[in-house]
Amino acid sequence: MELVESADGTRIALDRAGTGPPLVIVLGASCDRSTSKPLAGLLASSYTVYEYDRRGRGDSDDGRPLSIEGEVRDLAAVVAAAGEAPFVYGHSSGASLALEAAARGVAMRRLAVYEPPYTGDYDPGPEFGRHLDELVAAGRRDAAAEQWLAATGSTPAIIESIKSSPGWAQRQALAHTLSQDLRLANNGRMPVERFVRIEIPVLVLAGGASPSWAQSTTATLAGSLPHATEHVVDGQQHIPPDPVIAAILESFFF
């Protein structure tokens, strides 16, 4: 583990592994840098892979109040540690964060994003984020994590399965960051007016078996960004298998 300092002094924990040009992975809700280890392992033979804990997660500093601007500065600090403009892969709210960073001029060589959660009318709105924060403040992290899953479309059976899994403790531990993931979703509306500034090549990915908003977002991004390509991954949903994503990234980044 290494620590890099963001512009406001927040320390960001990262791991680097492999050899080759730098590649930074930016993950979404209820994830820290341990989540991406299998994907990083598949990519490390071709890239120097950087995995990091977004502020408030894992071994990074708390960094509250959480904000998009603060997280953009954190990603910029990770990019600086790489020593040159990296390839970047963002998933879900991590995809939104990577897009926001690219639009603000954070150096990247190429960017691939998978289903940034601009869900339109399905977005629960900022009041839901405030509600989650209130649950966390009251010590009800379990309720916050469970209600988040329900809001994202998980069925009661899936939620019960997740609650009985080893990953449930991590979801509860990271419940205080959920409102930030919701903030990155921009009330479900894609901030096209910012993203059109992105001049690097962008690969916009969605699963073919994902909800309709995912393909709609992919098409809108691909049609709005000056150098974007759309790729719908047959048969996949919001969390695709790591070997599938690794193969797509290898093809796009080289």
Side-chain angles (χ1 to χ4, degrees):
M1 184 188 80
E2 304 171 41
L3 292 172
V4 297
E5 191 169 296
S6 190
D8 65 356
T10 300
R11 295 176 303 171
I12 302 300
L14 64 84
D15 292 334
R16 72 175 89 194
T19 57
L23 188 163
V24 177
I25 298 175
V26 191
L27 295 180
S30 301
C31 296
D32 60 21
R33 73 186 195 281
S34 68
T35 312
S36 55
K37 292 300 178 193
L39 178 59
L42 293 170
L43 296 167
S45 61
S46 301
Y47 307 91
T48 302
V49 183
Y50 291 77
E51 308 162 88
Y52 77 102
D53 290 332
R54 289 169 53 188
R55 65 172 58 201
R57 308 176 188 219
D59 293 309
S60 289
D61 288 347
D62 186 62
R64 282 188 272 187
L66 300 177
S67 69
I68 294 174
E69 292 74 17
E71 288 219 74
V72 167
R73 290 193 291 265
D74 299 345
L75 180 50
V78 175
V79 167
E84 62 180 279
F87 299 113
V88 177
Y89 169 61
H91 178 265
S92 194
S93 66
S96 296
L97 173 54
L99 287 163
E100 293 282 3
R104 288 165 168 81
V106 174
M108 300 178 191
R109 187 169 169 181
R110 287 186 168 215
L111 171 62
V113 293
Y114 193 99
E115 295 191 1
Y118 303 116
T119 58
D121 292 338
Y122 295 100
D123 187 271
E127 65 280 356
F128 182 61
R130 291 190 288 270
H131 171 66
L132 294 175
D133 286 340
E134 290 169 358
L135 289 174
V136 171
R140 300 183 60 198
R141 288 176 173 269
D142 56 339
E146 184 171 349
Q147 290 183 31
W148 169 269
L149 288 170
T152 58
S154 298
T155 65
I158 290 175
I159 292 172
E160 288 305 312
S161 175
I162 292 172
K163 288 173 67 176
S164 64
S165 72
W168 180 241
Q170 176 173 297
R171 287 182 176 272
Q172 293 180 84
L174 296 177
H176 63 282
T177 64
L178 293 173
S179 61
Q180 171 68 357
D181 291 299
L182 189 60
R183 194 174 296 115
L184 280 159
N186 196 48
N187 296 324
R189 306 300 186 224
M190 187 189 310
V192 173
E193 70 282 358
R194 290 199 293 275
F195 292 170
V196 293
R197 306 170 193 160
I198 299 173
E199 293 290 342
I200 58 171
V202 179
L203 178 64
V204 191
L205 299 158
S210 289
S212 59
W213 65 259
Q215 289 92 23
S216 176
T217 292
T218 299
T220 300
L221 271 173
S224 302
L225 275 60
H227 306 291
T229 303
E230 176 184 6
H231 182 173
V232 176
V233 189
D234 289 343
Q236 299 306 321
Q237 300 183 22
H238 189 60
I239 303 177
D242 292 319
V244 171
I245 288 299
I248 293 171
L249 296 181
E250 289 266 12
S251 176
F252 177 62
F253 288 153
F254 273 129

